[in-house]
Amino acid sequence: MDTKTVKDVQYWKTFAGSLKIDARALIDGQSVDAADGKTFDCVSPIDGKVLAQVADCGEADIDRAVSAARRSFEQGVWAGLNPRKRKAAMLRWAALLRDHADELSVLETLDAGKPIGDTTSVDIPGAIYCIEWFAEAIDKVGGEVAPVDHHLVGLVTREPIGVVAAVVPWNFPLLMASWKFAPALAAGNSVVLKPSEKSPLTAIRVAQLALEAGMPAGVFNVVPGFGATGKLLALHMDVDCLAFTGSTAVGKQIMQCAGQSNLKRVWLELGGKSPNIVLPDCPDLDRAASSAASAIFYNMGEMCTAGSRLLVHRDIKDVFIEKLLAAAASYRPGDPLDPSTSMGAIVDTIQLERVLSYIESGRQQATLLCGGSRALEDSGGYYIEPTVFDVTDPAARIAREEIFGPVLSVLTFDSVDEAIRIANDSEYGLAAAVWTSNLTTAHEVSRRLRAGTVWVNCYDEGGDMNFPFGGYKQSGNGRDKSLHALEKYTELKSTLLRLR
Ligand code: NAD
């Protein structure tokens, strides 16, 4: 590509028009149709048009993928490689993905409706960085020599679990998938990935590129399909670990499936209803207001960490809401292929209807401050205006349930204790934020918040891989990102050698 090319809306539209999408499954190093020939339509939320026919994998396909993964694991073609070689293979793959970054970005935008400005700056580079980060860790993390009696040597080592299945959602299709497959592959496992039926295309393409980069057949398989396909993996007797990101309701079913089958290890990254608390001594109300807007409107609110409950102290409420509404106005639904667009499409009609029905319930139980309607209907796509409600009752549905759309509930409090009580009164515990100028208050409030991530005077910072990511309570168990994520794809082994 000529480096002087201007990547404007025309560039991306032309790119989109020239894509040749191969949406077959990738099993044992081959692109294949589902064994029974079944496919489903992959519809672009941008304009409602069909992008591709995707292989709809059933039992025969899952069995083939799992046995290819098992075979490659047992043969040691990946797990048995010198760690440096495994690292080199993953870095080669990451470099190839970088060469294909535009293609992957446009594919993600078409498939999930995300603005191209986001897929080019967050989703695709973030997934590549994740692969590189875990690749770099491969030859750095060793085991332990444990203190033990003199006649013994005690080794504590980590070994790959074996066959890891990953079942992932659609809000950051490739990024969420990479948080699973990158550490799982780095640890030496073989992987079977089931992307969401709403956004399967980048996962398939990335697996094709893994093969091109020299990853051995069977090590990384992609099996598109619906929930039933994910359930087959959750019930499979030869899957050793299932790493899931998605809704709390499905997470519970997956745990049950593990209990009904082989007690596979289950790691769950689930939903959230995260509180964002603004205290009266907030150091910068303008920044807090624009942060509160991006916490809920970035990625159309399709964020597990969305700051969907904004808790504002009564003393600053009026002035804060004024600033918030001004910030919200900068999120306007537009053509996702236009680099100037800040808000794209909702992923599909099911999610569109779900969000609109929550807005309807909000109209009954709260006061609408802005938005509340569908937008750009003429495009054929699925767009919703940024929407803010003033909610007096924290028990209102919109203030308790995860909406996963651009809908913000503003709640009012009079004391720090009340704010913490409201914040923690949730089945979820994924993330939280507090805005204050007082260092002691910042530490005390963050300690009392029951959440896996707490931001102080910011929201959604920390794109680095170094921080573990995951939830308390029904937001899940286990952590993605960081070396803690690497651990969860290994078994811990104690080896005791008697010297005499
Ligand atoms: P979902 O639970 O409906 O689906 C997630 C995946 O599970 C999809 O691939 C789906 O096909 C599959 N699935 C559905 N039913 C299944 C079953 N019975 N057995 C096995 N697999 C099944 O979630 P979604 O709508 O795709 O994603 C939105 C949810 O994901 C939200 O709740 C959001 O908070 C959560 N999420 C969490 C994180 C996190 O890191 N905590 C990140 C992103 C999204």
Side-chain angles (χ1 to χ4, degrees), residues 167-171 176 194-197 226-227 230-231 244-247 250 253-254 269-272 304 402 404 430 469:
V167 177
V168 296
W170 44 265
N171 60 331
M176 291 301 102
K194 193 206 85 66
S196 168
E197 62 276 17
F226 289 78
K231 188 172 178 185
F244 175 75
T245 299
S247 59
V250 173
Q253 291 173 34
I254 285 180
E269 300 291 341
L270 309 174
C304 50
E402 183 182 47
F404 225 55
L430 191 56
F469 180 91

Side-chain angles (χ1 to χ4, degrees), residues 180 244-249 251-252 255 267-275 303-306 308-309 400 402 404 423-424 426-432 450-453 469-480 488:
K180 312 288 185 206
F244 175 75
T245 299
S247 59
T248 295
K252 288 182 183 183
M255 269 199 158
W267 301 114
L268 302 172
E269 300 291 341
L270 309 174
K273 190 76 183 175
S274 299
M303 302 272 293
C304 50
T305 53
S308 50
R309 290 188 293 153
R400 292 200 69 79
E402 183 182 47
F404 225 55
N424 285 339
S426 169
E427 70 197 52
Y428 297 113
L430 191 56
R450 306 277 300 150
T453 299
F469 180 91
Y472 284 26
K473 299 192 266 182
Q474 293 187 44
S475 287
N477 67 327
R479 295 294 182 265
D480 280 337
K488 72 186 193 186

Side-chain angles (χ1 to χ4, degrees), residues 7 93 96 114 128 134 138 146 160 190 215 265 285 320 346 356 387 390 401 451 479 492 494:
K7 294 184 180 176
W93 180 29
L96 189 62
K114 298 163 76 86
I128 296 170
F134 283 104
I138 293 175
S190 291
M215 191 170 287
R265 283 87 182 98
L285 285 184
F320 195 77
I346 302 294
L356 290 173
T387 299
D390 186 0
E401 296 176 19
R479 295 294 182 265
L492 207 49
S494 297

Side-chain angles (χ1 to χ4, degrees), residues 153-478:
V153 173
L155 303 178
V156 182
T157 51
R158 289 201 169 268
E159 297 182 348
I161 302 184
V163 175
V164 173
V167 177
V168 296
W170 44 265
N171 60 331
F172 289 85
L174 188 59
L175 191 62
M176 291 301 102
S178 72
W179 287 9
K180 312 288 185 206
F181 67 67
L185 289 168
N189 299 282
S190 291
V191 170
V192 180
L193 167 66
K194 193 206 85 66
S196 168
E197 62 276 17
K198 301 180 200 284
S199 59
L201 300 180
T202 45
I204 297 170
R205 184 68 186 121
V206 159
Q208 293 164 355
L209 292 167
L211 271 184
E212 211 174 302
M215 191 170 287
V219 173
F220 186 38
N221 308 274
V222 176
V223 286
F226 289 78
T229 308
K231 188 172 178 185
L232 288 167
L233 286 167
L235 283 170
H236 206 287
M237 292 300 288
D238 207 25
V239 168
D240 300 302
C241 167
L242 195 140
F244 175 75
T245 299
S247 59
T248 295
V250 173
K252 288 182 183 183
Q253 291 173 34
I254 285 180
M255 269 199 158
Q256 286 177 347
C257 289
Q260 281 166 33
S261 54
N262 62 343
L263 272 185
K264 55 182 67 63
R265 283 87 182 98
V266 172
W267 301 114
L268 302 172
E269 300 291 341
L270 309 174
K273 190 76 183 175
S274 299
N276 182 11
I277 304 170
V278 189
L279 296 177
D281 66 346
C282 168
D284 182 341
L285 285 184
D286 290 310
R287 195 160 58 79
S290 72
S291 220
S294 83
I296 184 68
F297 301 131
Y298 178 74
N299 207 47
M300 295 68 75
E302 295 169 346
M303 302 272 293
C304 50
T305 53
S308 50
R309 290 188 293 153
L310 176 65
L311 277 59
V312 187
H313 193 278
R314 195 174 305 280
D315 289 354
I316 53 166
K317 182 178 171 187
D318 290 346
V319 60
F320 195 77
I321 284 185
E322 198 180 308
K323 291 176 189 295
L324 171 74
L325 295 181
S330 66
Y331 289 85
R332 219 167 297 123
D335 181 352
L337 286 170
D338 185 337
S340 68
T341 291
S342 55
M343 217 174 166
I346 302 294
V347 75
D348 69 356
T349 49
I350 300 171
Q351 186 62 13
L352 178 82
E353 291 308 326
R354 198 179 125 88
V355 177
L356 290 173
S357 84
Y358 271 110
I359 291 176
E360 205 34 57
S361 126
R363 286 180 197 274
Q364 313 299 322
Q365 296 188 304
T367 309
L368 182 68
L369 298 180
C370 76
S373 304
R374 232 185 124 165
L376 305 177
E377 273 195 76
D378 291 349
S379 66
Y382 322 130
Y383 302 84
I384 293 183
E385 294 171 345
T387 299
V388 179
F389 284 102
D390 186 0
V391 184
T392 35
D393 179 7
R397 258 186 86 209
I398 51 163
R400 292 200 69 79
E401 296 176 19
E402 183 182 47
I403 300 175
F404 225 55
V407 183
L408 177 63
S409 293
V410 183
L411 295 149
T412 315
F413 64 86
D414 292 294
S415 69
V416 170
D417 282 347
E418 186 188 6
I420 289 171
R421 198 167 53 245
I422 297 171
N424 285 339
D425 181 18
S426 169
E427 70 197 52
Y428 297 113
L430 191 56
V434 59
W435 296 76
T436 175
S437 300
N438 185 306
L439 192 63
T440 303
T441 311
H443 279 288
E444 284 181 350
V445 171
S446 45
R447 277 188 194 167
R448 292 172 68 189
L449 287 167
R450 306 277 300 150
T453 299
V454 176
W455 290 289
V456 177
N457 296 335
C458 59
Y459 204 96
D460 257 330
E461 295 282 347
D464 302 298
M465 269 295 136
N466 304 326
F467 297 94
F469 180 91
Y472 284 26
K473 299 192 266 182
Q474 293 187 44
S475 287
N477 67 327

